[in-house]
Amino acid sequence: MAWRIEESVIRGEIDNRVRGRVTGRIWFAGRAEPVELNLMGDCWRDLAGRRLEFTNPDPKAGDLGNFSAEQKGLAGDISASRKVKVPDIPLDQIGEYYAAKKPFPWHWGNSLHLEWFSESNGRVVIESAGYELKIVGEPTWEMTAAEEEAQRRANGAAITAYMDQLTGAATEPGEEDFEEESEED
């Protein structure tokens, strides 16, 4: 299960100006100090080599009591260009459209998608199409298409390793011993 904490975000900054390292700070409603990010890996191509600042126009306090103030781990999918359906009506009206079996009006929009695998909290996801986003300064490096593909593979490996850890998909105790004995017979 992932921490989905986008509603509690007040503002934040993500910095990938150093290859192989994503750092940042995120301020949350109900928490005095920002959470510090120190992640291995890179953002997707749109944010690679860049510093991004973001603001939530409508933050809400949430339960972050067990959320570590220092987030160390692996970068997952980090992008500000993921396309999502954005409702053109208030969210509380979507149920009315659904009940009437009518499609609700929407448009495609960019979504900020921050995912990482924390040593202390596991998988963390912040995703919103409603944040205000600002790239600060000039990029320090550009990601090639080949590097982007390698990053996507690394992100896939990170989520696979995380899921394996959750489900205990590693070899069951004694399974290796059985296979070795079978080969000797």
Side-chain angles (χ1 to χ4, degrees):
M1 186 165 170
W3 286 79
R4 294 216 169 244
I5 51 179
E6 56 273 347
E7 288 186 353
S8 300
V9 170
I10 297 171
R11 67 185 176 93
E13 53 196 43
I14 298 295
D15 190 338
N16 187 206
R17 292 178 292 179
V18 174
R19 281 183 190 265
R21 179 71 52 199
V22 177
T23 60
R25 296 182 298 171
I26 304 174
W27 288 261
F28 292 96
R31 195 171 190 150
E33 298 296 319
V35 168
E36 300 281 337
L37 300 180
N38 188 0
L39 309 171
M40 291 176 38
D42 289 310
C43 300
W44 282 11
R45 202 173 189 177
D46 63 319
L47 295 179
R50 292 163 175 79
R51 182 171 177 271
L52 172 74
E53 294 179 352
F54 53 93
T55 304
N56 179 357
D58 188 27
K60 297 173 179 60
D63 181 14
L64 295 170
N66 293 327
F67 196 70
S68 178
E70 188 174 6
Q71 295 289 309
K72 291 182 179 180
L74 295 174
D77 292 336
I78 300 177
S79 173
S81 63
R82 186 173 272 192
K83 298 293 185 199
V84 296
K85 286 183 175 182
V86 178
D88 290 333
I89 58 172
L91 290 178
D92 60 353
Q93 291 180 13
I94 290 178
E96 296 170 21
Y97 279 79
Y98 182 75
K101 297 183 180 181
K102 292 181 3 186
F104 63 87
W106 59 274
H107 67 276
W108 288 109
N110 285 339
S111 172
L112 175 64
H113 183 88
L114 308 176
E115 175 190 49
W116 67 90
F117 301 94
S118 166
E119 293 173 0
S120 55
N121 293 111
R123 184 172 179 240
V124 181
V125 177
I126 296 173
E127 185 170 33
S128 177
Y131 288 2
E132 297 164 8
L133 308 176
K134 179 182 176 186
I135 299 286
V136 179
E138 294 298 316
T140 58
W141 62 279
E142 295 288 338
M143 181 179 275
T144 67
E147 290 170 326
E148 181 177 44
E149 183 56 34
Q151 181 63 40
R152 288 181 192 264
R153 283 193 306 275
N155 293 356
I159 195 159
T160 299
Y162 174 71
M163 295 305 290
D164 286 350
Q165 181 183 8
L166 280 181
T167 61
T171 330
E172 292 297 320
E175 189 174 307
E176 293 149 6
D177 295 337
F178 177 76
E179 290 174 7
E180 287 175 16
E181 289 173 12
S182 298
E183 290 174 12
E184 292 175 4
D185 292 338

